[in-house]
């Protein structure tokens, strides 16, 4: 099942998305739905089916969830580790060490405040000259870290700020419009193998291509359960949190984002997430 959110009477409302249409779930956001499914002990798709209107409306999709918290996982693909080490002038430095380590890199990305959805803007910090999209598979979590579904994420990051000093990572990662999510959440039962999804990313400026890249989640060096287990250590993450599982697509510096650039990220099983860059 695909669950998204649409704007109805000026408010975000959850909806089942099928055949390009949306069946609204009145008076519930996706977060309300997740919490109610937990209280009533029902699987999310079952509750959504019970509550959804029979009357479909056009599916102009907004952000599929306003997450309680968003976390990012880092250097989960070899390509990401070697790129970041090369940015530090080394081949086997701290990023390679974390890539190989038992404990994964996990950082706090923000809350719903810094998130945007399909068709909205993503942010390029005014003090960054090399901001890049990080296309990632994202996990939508319920209580105790149960994976409820998958969506696409753009962990937009100021790579020049991270390159200057790794201790600047929070500034390179968390700011207005730094995280795009969407277009829908595909519930776990509808993805046969999340470790076998092909993701593509393109950047265009004035309709002209500046970058194309792709990766398969088969190249992911971590299991989701391990990421979640570490995230929940001494940390009572609430239902409705989102975890970004790391990028395996590395954009070149020539394709650094500029205002007006369009970033498109897609996994056929989930859809297309498109955003335009704005300086923030
Ligand atoms: O280590 C810095 C951030 C890594 C990251 O966000 C990623 O690998 O996706
Ligand atoms: Mg990332």
């Amino acid at each position: 099942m695909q669950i998204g959110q649409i704007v109805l009477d000026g408010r975000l409302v959850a909806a089942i998305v099928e055949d390009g249409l949306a069946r609204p779930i009145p008076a519930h956001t996706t977060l309300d739905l997740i919490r109610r499914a937990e209280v009533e002990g029902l699987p999310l798709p079952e509750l959504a089916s019970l509550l959804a209107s029979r009357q479909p409306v056009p599916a102009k999709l907004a952000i599929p969830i306003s997450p309680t918290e968003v976390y990012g996982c880092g250097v989960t693909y070899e390509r990401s580790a070697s790129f970041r080490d090369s940015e530090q002038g080394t081949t086997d430095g701290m990023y390679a060490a974390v890539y190989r380590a038992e404990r994964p890199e996990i950082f706090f990305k923000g809350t719903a405040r810094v998130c945007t959805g399909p068709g909205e803007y993503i942010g390029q910090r005014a003090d960054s000259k090399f901001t890049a999209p990080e296309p990632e598979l994202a996990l939508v979590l319920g209580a105790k870290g149960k994976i409820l579904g998958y969506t696409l994420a753009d962990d937009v990051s100021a790579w020049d700020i991270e390159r200057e000093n790794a201790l600047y990572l929070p500034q390179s990662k968390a700011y207005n419009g730094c995280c795009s999510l969407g277009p829908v959440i595909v519930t776990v039962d509808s993805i046969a193998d999340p470790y076998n999804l092909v993701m593509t990313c393109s950047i265009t400026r004035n309709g002209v291509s500046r970058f194309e890249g792709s990766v398969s989640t088969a190249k992911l060096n971590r299991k989701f359960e391990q990421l979640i287990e570490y995230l929940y250590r001494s940390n009572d993450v609430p239902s409705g949190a989102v975890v970004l599982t790391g990028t395996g697509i590395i954009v070149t510096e020539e394709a650094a984002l500029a205002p007006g650039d369009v970033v498109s990220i897609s996994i056929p099983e989930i859809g297309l997430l498109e955003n335009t860059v704005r300086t923030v």
Side-chain angles (χ1 to χ4, degrees), residues 116-149:
T116 61
E120 295 179 349
Y121 82 93
I122 46 174
Q124 176 224 1
R125 291 178 62 117
D127 59 357
S128 166
K129 292 200 167 16
F130 183 16
T131 288
E134 292 190 10
E136 307 189 11
L137 181 67
L139 315 173
V140 178
L141 302 183
K144 301 197 172 100
K146 181 172 181 205
I147 302 174
L148 301 176

Side-chain angles (χ1 to χ4, degrees), residues 74-75 80 84 95 105 107 134 136 155 162 169 173 246-247:
V75 289
S80 173
R84 287 170 211 277
Y95 292 101
E105 176 196 0
F107 56 88
E134 292 190 10
E136 307 189 11
D155 172 22
E162 178 185 341
L169 189 79
K173 290 291 185 185
T247 189

